[in-house]
């Protein structure tokens, strides 16, 4: 199952999300003084997983920690960008939300220094897409405006990998050449991407109406198509 493979990859990403390779080696060496290498590795992995907040699945989703891990995985795995700032380590308490950008990554591509900014919005309710989308747009615009200030707070501290300090400092003092901040990556087409359909049905004057609820009411506005649904859902709706 591709789903299982993806989830396994995501779990494996936790150790990279929490610790730099330098920090991981340091912690592993400390554990190896007390136990065999294989057990030392498992101990460090367990400590990384313990940094996740405790609570129900919904609480984790609402707080956004799972979304930030997913974002980190996508940027590092598919965009091949290294974390310039490790957000997991900024908050020492697992009971408090972190503020600022959810991801600030860096890569070199065609002799250009690329800064990748990311925001993750995760909701437990399936009816909050609009709110999540608006929050994401607002957050990414704010991140673009403030990421320099945030990065400046943590340069030469443990929140940046040691090899990233020089890059961060050069970026902040504007001596880093050929810098690009990539635009938000959107979907190729905003239409016909959903494969699940859910429409309310109402009987009015012995006629069945199928469509969408009028805003702030239980009245249905009939429709014979929905541009975000797959075309086959339109055909099914007409048959019903």
């Amino acid at each position: 199952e591709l789903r299982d493979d993806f989830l396994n990859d995501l779990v494996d990403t936790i150790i990279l999300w929490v610790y730099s390779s330098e920090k991981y080696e340091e912690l592993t060496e400390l554990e190896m003084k007390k136990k065999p290498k294989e057990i030392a590795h498992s101990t460090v992995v367990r400590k990384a997983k313990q940094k996740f907040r405790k609570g129900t699945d919904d609480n984790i989703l609402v707080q956004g920690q799972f979304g930030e891990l997913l974002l980190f995985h996508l940027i590092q795995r598919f965009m091949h960008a290294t974390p310039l700032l490790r957000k997991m380590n900024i908050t020492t308490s697992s009971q408090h939300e972190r503020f600022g950008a959810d991801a600030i990554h860096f890569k070199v591509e065609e002799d250009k220094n690329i800064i990748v900014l990311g925001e993750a919005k995760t909701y437990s309710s399936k009816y909050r897409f609009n709110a999540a989308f608006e929050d994401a747009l607002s957050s990414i615009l704010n991140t673009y405006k403030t990421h320099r200030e945030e990065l400046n707070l943590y340069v030469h501290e443990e929140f940046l990998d040691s090899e990233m300090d020089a890059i961060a400092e050069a970026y902040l003092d504007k001596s880093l050449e050929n810098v690009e901040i990539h635009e938000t990556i959107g979907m190729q087409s905003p239409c016909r991407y959903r494969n699940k359909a859910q429409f309310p049905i109402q009987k009015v004057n012995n006629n069945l109406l199928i469509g969408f609820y009028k805003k702030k009411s239980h009245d249905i506005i009939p429709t014979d198509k929905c541009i975000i649904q797959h075309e086959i859902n339109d055909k099914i709706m007409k048959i019903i």
Side-chain angles (χ1 to χ4, degrees):
E1 285 286 341
L2 293 178
R3 177 182 178 183
D4 292 338
D5 291 341
F6 174 72
L7 291 176
N8 288 333
D9 282 347
L10 202 57
V11 171
D12 292 340
T13 300
I14 292 175
I15 192 72
L16 301 175
W17 184 39
V18 176
Y19 302 125
S20 65
S21 56
E22 182 180 15
K23 187 66 174 178
Y24 166 73
E25 291 176 4
E26 176 188 336
L27 293 174
T28 303
E29 287 179 4
L30 288 174
E31 292 296 332
M32 285 174 60
K33 294 178 180 178
K34 301 177 286 186
K35 57 194 71 172
K37 180 178 180 180
E38 294 77 13
I39 299 178
H41 167 74
S42 298
T43 301
V44 175
V45 171
R46 185 176 69 252
K47 287 181 177 180
K49 292 179 179 179
Q50 287 172 346
K51 290 185 178 291
F52 276 86
R53 297 178 185 87
K54 307 299 181 184
T56 65
D57 291 341
D58 283 349
N59 286 335
I60 291 175
L61 289 174
V62 170
Q63 291 297 326
Q65 206 167 30
F66 175 80
E68 292 171 15
L69 172 64
L70 181 60
L71 175 66
F72 177 93
H73 178 76
L74 293 175
I75 293 176
Q76 178 149 305
R77 179 73 179 271
F78 298 102
M79 298 183 71
H80 307 292
T82 302
L84 188 57
L85 179 62
R86 290 185 184 274
K87 299 308 297 291
M88 171 56 94
N89 296 333
I90 290 176
T91 302
T92 57
S93 171
S94 62
Q95 301 302 317
H96 294 83
E97 189 66 37
R98 294 173 304 286
F99 298 97
D102 290 333
I104 303 179
H105 287 230
F106 171 81
K107 68 176 179 177
V108 176
E109 188 175 271
E110 297 180 353
D111 296 324
K112 295 179 180 179
N113 293 299
I114 309 296
I115 305 295
V116 180
L117 305 178
E119 285 293 319
K121 296 296 176 186
T122 310
Y123 289 82
S124 58
S125 171
K126 60 185 178 181
Y127 299 110
R128 298 197 63 187
F129 174 79
N130 287 343
F133 187 66
E134 290 176 2
D135 284 351
L137 288 178
S138 176
S139 293
I140 200 67
L141 289 174
N142 184 65
T143 292
Y144 180 80
K145 296 176 182 177
T146 62
H147 72 279
R148 282 180 174 272
E149 289 86 345
E150 183 182 11
L151 196 58
N152 187 55
L153 291 175
Y154 305 115
V155 68
H156 296 306
E157 296 188 22
E158 63 177 2
F159 310 119
L160 275 74
D161 298 354
S162 58
E163 64 268 23
M164 290 288 121
D165 276 328
I167 294 172
E169 191 167 297
Y171 175 61
L172 291 172
D173 65 20
K174 299 182 181 180
S175 63
L176 190 66
E177 299 179 351
N178 297 323
V179 175
E180 286 188 3
I181 298 179
H182 275 184
E183 298 178 354
T184 303
I185 300 175
M187 59 202 310
Q188 292 181 346
S189 172
C191 303
R192 303 298 183 182
Y193 62 90
R194 295 195 65 181
N195 55 20
K196 174 184 176 182
Q198 183 173 339
F199 299 100
I201 298 176
Q202 191 176 64
K203 190 172 184 179
V204 178
N205 298 326
N206 292 322
N207 294 317
L208 287 178
L209 301 180
I210 182 170
F212 298 98
Y213 285 118
K214 183 180 178 181
K215 188 175 183 179
K216 295 182 179 180
S217 77
H218 292 289
D219 299 329
I220 290 180
I221 299 176
T223 183
D224 59 357
K225 64 180 179 180
C226 175
I227 62 172
I228 66 171
Q229 302 282 353
H230 194 282
E231 289 90 340
I232 196 167
N233 291 333
D234 295 341
K235 296 178 181 179
I236 294 173
M237 187 163 51
K238 289 178 181 178
I239 293 174
I240 296 175

